[in-house]
Amino acid sequence: MVITPSEQSRVELSLVSNPRKIAVSGFSALAVLYAFFAGFHTLQDFDLGWQLATGRWVVEHHRVFSTDVFSYTAAGQPWIYPALSGVIFYFVYLFGGYALLSWVGGLVSALTIGLLCFNHKGHEGARRENLGKIVVPVLAVFAAPLIANRTQPRAEMFTTILFATFLTLLWSHFRSRRSALWLLPILMVLWVNLHPGFIAGIALCIAYLLTEVLELPSRVRRGPALSRLKRAWPWLALTAAATLVNPWGPAMYGAVLRQQSAQALHNLWIVEWEGVHLSAASLQQALDFRDPQSSFWWLLVLAVTGVCIGLWRKQWGAVLLLGGAIYFGLEHVRLQALFACIVVVIGGALLDEPFPRLAYSARREASQSDLYSRPHLGLVVLGIAVLSLTALRSADLISNRYYLRFSQRSIFGAGLSWWFPERAVDFVQREKLPANLFNGYALGGYLAWRLFPAYRDYIDSRALPFGQELFFRAYDLASEPPDSAAWRQEADSSGINTIIVPLSRYQGMTLFPQLHAFCRSQSWRPVYLDEVAAVFVRATEQNAPLIARLQIDCGKVTFSSSESAQSKSGSFNYAANAGGVLYSLERYPEALAQLDRAQSIFSGNASVHLFRALVLQEMNRPAEAESEFRTSLSLEPTDEGWFDFGLFFMTQRRYAEAAEIFSKSAESSSRPHEMWMMLGQAYVQGRQPQQALEAFDKAVTTSPFAGDGQPLGASFNSLIAAGRANAWYQLGDLAQAVSFQEEAVRLAPEDAALWRGLADIYEVQGRTTKAAEARSRARALGSH
């Protein structure tokens, strides 16, 4: 039998291309599996609770509401939000509980990556046999953790997977491949009833049209572009019309606009809406290949490379899409999953094209027995690298190393996160504690799910019905002393009788620093305390019998581990949280014992080292405390860690070192105004008034409390004013010093220390009557 040259050529090409096809399929399967592992963890999202509650309400009442029903502070305020996602989650919960919801998170993560991976098949014909087709699944491996972050069970998960679907359909059509564009309006009907992120789908359609328009100036590309537009425009028009198929019709757009009105607040205070700061800390993260979030930086570099290639090849539409993805990915952490989708699909196509047709040219060099040609070896090396990376990261997920190291509220597996105060909520229900309940922003959604309608929440993570004023009031109240006028006024006006607060190391110290004061309060009495939550009841005549029966002594409470603490991760979280609560209660030896126990289980957690540093500082062991601060920051450089380290140097009167810490951290902090303010205070203490004034100016410039928001930041602004007063006093300008100290007193009239400071400056000015009045006011406040 004689083999013709053309047949020989096909055999050789097949031998070379088969390993490539196997590699593409293998990398794709690897990316999908890794995406499932990254998305399969215990439920920890703040929004899931109120979305479950929404689903339950809609199912029970057979209608969708348009005003708030879950809170007592915003009852009746406009609230339009797609309800279908909540209904789906509610039925999933009824069928399989929290465990099945966790499985849904993992499966949607895997499915999204699968859509991205298999989009590239058939790209520009079967005869294009280069290594570029491997780029897409490799990028998908990098994208998996970013996408998993946004596919945890909450309404946003539907935006992530539907965005990936829209993107692949539109890009396939743009690349002149068969694409079922008729799916777009059908999917949009679902999307607009699942999540406000349907706007991203409309944005993709507009971006597709712009991409085609940018093809028109080219004589070669104009004809195909017009042909594609002719086929696409009816489906795009139907997709836009499909957004009106919702219970509120066009009013849904008004709801989206109202959401945007709250965006400035979200950008400054909600972690997922914060921007990405380029700094030494981000470089450290980018180089940590075991940190899944380092993938963002890798994809960012590849996206920039794709933009450069697109500019070189004059593919303006692809450049527009990638450039926009880069901008929004840097602007908001929440949008990094959508950024990752675009990098995989668009960036993958652009990065594909520079690859030489190695496989095709290799057929001239490789014989049938030559299994070690350069293309094959390249596949082997790439396969080993990608397999090693995903295996290591997957092992970190399954073993919980990742969750313990990076201070996550979840652990690998199914069920509800340990962060939620299940036992405290059970106690509230069992003892029928009096309404109304006060809670913080993060906890409200869970309380709406567990306690409504018997109890309504004070605030929750919907944010919009409550407005900025209540958001900041809730934030400030958690930091106010329990017997302060602020608490008395709020409890009276809102009818608050019970307070429930989270105390875990991720919330307690920063968002409820007054635990010890509340335990000794005359206005509030502790009735429940464990390692993740506390409950207090207001001391009134009506509540006296309940308090007499339930009141506890925080100084004598012993913690007992829950069932979840039987595992290694459970034992670690129990000990670490107990250590944090004991630190807040000033039970330092017990706190250190618990933290040592947590560290013996896992030594690489930054927050445990940070708590040990704080405990050792209180126990007057500064050298050990400093070492623990440095260890914590080397493991995970957080704003909280830098802030506490700077305060440590301040208490040690090492003001120059404190200034260095605050200066360094202000450049990379997500809340730089606080760091600049503390830098100014360090300069004041170090007798450097001019530098202090410059730091205070930067604090004001970066503050979220400017303009209309100034009344919401009275405490912060009073500290700035007092710091400026001290700086001007050191410069010898008493008039400026008095002016700023008077401003500080006006902003925080209940602060006795500010009145004493004003009295001192009046005294230096010789205004003895004014000084006496200020001191009298300070004494009156001090006696309260």
Side-chain angles (χ1 to χ4, degrees):
M1 180 178 177
V2 178
I3 300 178
T4 66
S6 62
E7 290 173 335
Q8 176 71 24
S9 175
R10 285 195 297 272
V11 170
E12 291 171 355
L13 180 58
S14 176
L15 287 169
V16 174
S17 64
N18 278 340
R20 180 194 56 77
K21 293 177 181 177
I22 294 171
V24 170
S25 298
F27 288 150
S28 298
L30 196 63
V32 170
L33 183 62
Y34 175 41
F36 173 76
F37 288 148
F40 183 56
H41 52 71
T42 54
L43 308 172
Q44 53 91 35
D45 190 79
F46 301 149
D47 288 347
L48 177 60
W50 63 259
Q51 288 169 10
L52 280 168
T54 297
R56 179 178 59 197
W57 196 97
V58 170
V59 169
E60 291 176 350
H61 293 79
H62 309 292
R63 64 185 179 88
V64 178
F65 53 82
S66 301
T67 57
D68 173 57
V69 299
F70 296 131
S71 77
Y72 60 89
T73 52
Q77 291 295 312
W79 174 243
I80 293 177
Y81 194 90
L84 182 57
S85 54
V87 171
I88 292 172
F89 292 143
Y90 180 58
F91 280 120
V92 170
Y93 175 82
L94 291 178
F95 186 76
Y98 295 128
L100 185 57
L101 285 167
S102 291
W103 278 92
V104 167
L107 291 172
V108 171
S109 175
L111 182 57
T112 304
I113 288 292
L115 286 170
L116 300 176
C117 281
F118 295 105
N119 164 68
H120 69 290
K121 290 201 167 186
H123 172 54
E124 291 190 357
R127 292 194 59 82
R128 181 168 181 180
E129 301 295 346
N130 58 28
L131 286 179
K133 290 186 180 181
I134 296 172
V135 172
V136 169
V138 170
L139 289 178
V141 170
F142 299 156
L146 302 181
I147 287 172
N149 288 344
R150 312 315 312 175
T151 57
Q152 47 191 317
R154 55 181 283 178
E156 185 199 1
M157 72 159 24
F158 297 107
T159 282
T160 304
I161 190 169
L162 288 169
F163 183 90
T165 306
F166 267 53
L167 178 64
T168 55
L169 288 172
L170 290 168
W171 186 249
S172 293
H173 182 72
F174 176 73
R175 304 290 278 192
S176 298
R177 302 201 302 268
R178 288 186 178 182
S179 183
L181 294 183
W182 55 268
L183 281 172
L184 296 179
I186 296 174
L187 293 174
M188 182 53 77
V189 171
L190 291 173
W191 199 346
V192 74
N193 288 285
L194 287 165
H195 188 247
F198 74 90
I199 291 295
I202 297 298
L204 270 181
C205 293
I206 295 172
Y208 163 75
L209 291 174
L210 287 175
T211 300
E212 295 288 19
V213 168
L214 290 170
E215 297 287 285
L216 297 182
S218 170
R219 291 184 179 181
V220 177
R221 299 173 181 172
R222 184 182 305 145
L226 289 172
S227 176
R228 291 191 299 267
L229 281 170
K230 184 177 180 180
R231 295 195 304 272
W233 79 262
W235 302 116
L236 297 179
L238 284 172
T239 300
T243 62
L244 302 179
V245 185
N246 69 80
W248 305 280
M252 175 59 77
Y253 283 94
V256 172
L257 289 175
R258 284 194 294 275
Q259 292 273 10
Q260 286 300 114
S261 69
Q263 198 58 54
L265 173 71
H266 290 169
N267 293 348
L268 290 167
W269 294 96
I270 311 301
V271 172
E272 64 183 27
W273 284 109
E274 290 176 353
V276 175
H277 301 270
L278 301 175
S279 63
S282 58
L283 177 62
Q284 178 181 332
Q285 183 185 59
L287 297 176
D288 187 354
F289 65 92
R290 295 189 76 166
D291 182 357
Q293 304 314 308
S294 64
S295 292
F296 170 74
W297 300 105
W298 303 355
L299 288 176
L300 184 64
V301 171
L302 293 170
V304 172
T305 304
V307 167
C308 294
I309 294 170
L311 291 171
W312 173 54
R313 297 181 63 87
K314 299 181 180 180
Q315 296 184 3
W316 311 120
V319 169
L320 176 70
L321 282 164
L322 265 184
I326 291 170
Y327 170 77
F328 286 109
L330 289 170
E331 193 71 11
H332 303 293
V333 171
R334 177 167 175 161
L335 300 182
Q336 288 180 359
L338 308 189
F339 156 82
C341 291
I342 291 175
V343 175
V344 172
V345 175
I346 314 297
L350 290 172
L351 293 169
D352 169 12
E353 294 178 0
F355 277 86
R357 300 187 179 188
L358 295 176
Y360 183 78
S361 62
R363 67 191 177 101
R364 299 177 181 232
E365 304 173 7
S367 66
Q368 293 184 16
S369 60
D370 186 7
L371 300 178
Y372 300 99
S373 60
R374 282 181 294 174
H376 293 176
L377 285 175
L379 289 175
V380 170
V381 172
L382 183 62
I384 291 173
V386 175
L387 179 61
S388 299
L389 177 69
T390 52
L392 184 61
R393 287 187 174 180
S394 297
D396 284 348
L397 291 169
I398 296 169
S399 67
N400 281 313
R401 181 187 183 277
Y402 164 71
Y403 297 102
L404 298 186
R405 178 189 168 189
F406 291 105
S407 300
Q408 299 293 305
R409 293 186 299 271
S410 293
I411 60 174
F412 184 78
L416 193 66
S417 167
W418 54 265
W419 181 87
F420 292 105
E422 289 187 274
R423 288 165 286 163
V425 168
D426 288 341
F427 177 83
V428 171
Q429 289 179 315
R430 184 173 62 251
E431 300 297 341
K432 296 181 174 57
L433 298 188
N436 288 323
L437 267 69
F438 172 86
N439 61 271
Y441 175 89
L443 193 57
Y446 176 72
L447 297 182
W449 164 240
R450 285 293 312 274
L451 296 177
F452 181 84
Y455 300 88
R456 299 172 188 263
D457 65 44
Y458 179 85
I459 192 172
D460 55 55
S461 54
R462 291 174 297 158
L464 193 62
F466 305 98
Q468 290 192 15
E469 184 177 353
L470 189 72
F471 177 90
F472 283 108
R473 190 156 72 242
Y475 182 85
D476 289 338
L477 279 172
S479 301
E480 288 282 346
D483 300 321
S484 65
W487 267 112
R488 288 195 302 273
Q489 292 168 6
E490 191 66 16
D492 288 340
S493 62
S494 298
I496 299 172
N497 279 291
T498 302
I499 297 174
I500 179 168
V501 290
L503 297 178
S504 72
R505 61 193 184 281
Y506 305 133
Q507 293 287 318
M509 185 176 71
T510 55
L511 296 187
F512 194 69
Q514 298 285 350
L515 174 63
H516 196 213
F518 266 85
C519 283
R520 298 175 298 173
S521 169
Q522 295 301 309
S523 303
W524 300 89
R525 301 300 168 84
V527 295
Y528 180 87
L529 179 66
D530 63 26
E531 80 280 5
V532 296
V535 180
F536 302 90
V537 171
R538 192 179 186 190
T540 64
E541 183 178 347
Q542 294 86 347
N543 296 333
L546 188 71
I547 291 173
R549 180 169 60 87
L550 298 176
Q551 184 172 350
I552 60 173
D553 184 346
C554 296
K556 297 178 180 178
V557 168
T558 57
F559 300 125
S560 57
S561 58
S562 60
E563 293 180 8
S564 62
Q566 303 309 310
S567 64
K568 176 182 176 180
S569 57
S571 297
F572 171 84
N573 283 320
Y574 164 75
N577 290 328
V581 174
L582 289 166
Y583 161 76
S584 298
L585 293 174
E586 301 181 8
R587 294 163 61 177
Y588 301 125
E590 296 170 85
L592 190 60
Q594 289 286 6
L595 294 169
D596 287 345
R597 178 188 170 196
Q599 206 167 69
S600 69
I601 298 170
F602 183 79
S603 61
N605 181 273
S607 69
V608 170
H609 285 282
L610 177 59
F611 266 111
R612 290 191 84 252
L614 294 170
V615 171
L616 290 166
Q617 179 182 350
E618 294 294 338
M619 296 177 73
N620 199 26
R621 294 158 65 176
E624 295 171 83
E626 182 175 347
S627 176
E628 286 292 288
F629 276 121
R630 295 189 184 280
T631 300
S632 175
L633 289 167
S634 68
L635 289 169
E636 191 176 3
T638 63
D639 284 357
E640 185 180 351
W642 285 117
F643 193 86
D644 289 334
F645 195 22
L647 285 180
F648 166 77
F649 282 131
M650 293 280 281
T651 60
Q652 297 293 307
R653 299 187 178 182
R654 296 160 63 178
Y655 301 121
E657 290 164 285
E660 182 181 356
I661 291 293
F662 290 127
S663 178
K664 181 189 301 183
S665 57
E667 299 295 343
S668 60
S669 173
S670 59
R671 294 182 175 84
H673 61 287
E674 295 179 346
M675 299 299 183
W676 289 123
M677 186 269 290
M678 289 306 301
L679 176 62
Q681 302 291 354
Y683 280 139
V684 165
Q685 295 299 322
R687 311 293 295 182
Q688 295 177 275
Q690 195 59 53
Q691 291 91 328
L693 290 172
E694 292 173 3
F696 289 134
D697 287 344
K698 290 180 180 179
V700 171
T701 301
T702 57
S703 168
F705 304 120
D708 294 339
Q710 187 171 353
L712 306 176
S715 177
F716 174 81
N717 290 323
S718 71
L719 290 173
I720 294 291
R724 283 170 162 169
N726 280 330
W728 283 113
Y729 183 85
Q730 291 177 11
L731 288 170
D733 191 332
L734 293 183
Q736 286 276 40
V738 167
S739 174
F740 279 112
Q741 193 68 22
E742 287 175 340
E743 180 184 350
V745 166
R746 178 180 59 80
L747 291 168
E750 302 298 317
D751 191 330
L754 294 180
W755 284 102
R756 286 193 293 270
L758 182 60
D760 290 339
I761 303 176
Y762 281 150
E763 195 75 47
V764 173
Q765 276 191 321
R767 300 165 68 180
T768 55
T769 302
K770 281 284 191 180
E773 291 174 357
R775 286 202 176 89
S776 175
R777 183 66 180 273
R779 284 193 297 270
L781 289 170
S783 64
H784 287 168

